[in-house]
Amino acid sequence: MASAVIKRFTPSRRTDDSLWDEIGLPSRGEALYRVVRDGLRYSTFCQIAELAGTDSKLLAEILDISPTTAHRRAKAGRFSPHESDRIIRFAQALAAAVKLFEGDRVQARSWMQAPVKGLGNKPPVDMLATSVEAEAVLDLIGRLEHGIVA
């Protein structure tokens, strides 16, 4: 599926909060809720794709956003709240993976693309279109951070 779509990462030793700073969004709280409710800007979506080392077309595919819908959102300049929620879940998983690998985006990308036993041998990137699967990815990252075997 989408596991081979994230192509390149710029190596960086940054924390997960700096990833949020780079895209100009709060990582949590009421301000983030408002962004999702109001609809994420298309330009922010493109920034997230760039930070993930992919392009907007491939990120839309990962998030199960049809090419037609993505094109309409590009013209309108914003995503719907539902689509924004999926995009933010992706950003949360990316930030958590970067934090897990102590800021190393190359290792984070590799991990997100590789089948993971703790996720039923699915790559994390293939599990970010639904809230249930994204929660499983974030839960696994949390367990790994605390040394709990998956």
Side-chain angles (χ1 to χ4, degrees):
M1 190 168 136
S3 61
V5 298
I6 298 179
K7 298 181 215 172
R8 58 174 163 66
F9 255 76
T10 305
S12 176
R13 290 274 175 202
R14 299 176 185 263
T15 66
D16 60 331
D17 285 339
S18 75
L19 187 136
W20 290 102
D21 291 341
E22 287 181 58
I23 58 177
L25 292 177
S27 62
R28 63 187 64 80
E30 184 60 35
L32 181 62
Y33 309 152
R34 205 171 318 114
V35 167
V36 172
R37 278 192 302 263
D38 293 346
L40 191 71
R41 290 179 316 185
Y42 188 82
S43 60
T44 304
F45 171 74
C46 292
Q47 286 179 291
I48 293 168
E50 185 177 326
L51 288 170
T54 191
D55 61 35
S56 57
K57 180 180 175 185
L58 295 174
L59 181 56
E61 180 184 325
I62 290 169
L63 299 175
D64 201 25
I65 298 171
S66 75
T68 305
T69 298
H71 182 72
R72 281 196 316 266
R73 300 305 182 244
K75 282 186 173 183
R78 290 200 181 271
F79 285 89
S80 73
H82 179 71
E83 295 154 351
S84 298
D85 187 52
R86 281 189 265 167
I87 297 163
I88 293 300
R89 279 195 310 256
F90 177 87
Q92 289 170 329
L94 177 61
V98 169
K99 182 179 177 188
L100 176 65
F101 290 97
E102 300 176 344
D104 188 328
R105 292 182 183 178
V106 173
Q107 285 186 339
R109 177 199 45 118
S110 294
W111 182 81
M112 290 201 47
Q113 291 184 44
V116 175
K117 185 176 181 180
L119 297 172
N121 290 316
K122 292 182 180 178
V125 74
D126 285 352
M127 297 183 64
L128 299 175
T130 68
S131 61
V132 174
E133 289 178 312
E135 186 176 320
V137 171
L138 292 170
D139 181 59
L140 176 62
I141 291 171
R143 287 184 285 142
L144 292 171
E145 283 181 322
H146 292 95
I148 300 171
V149 179

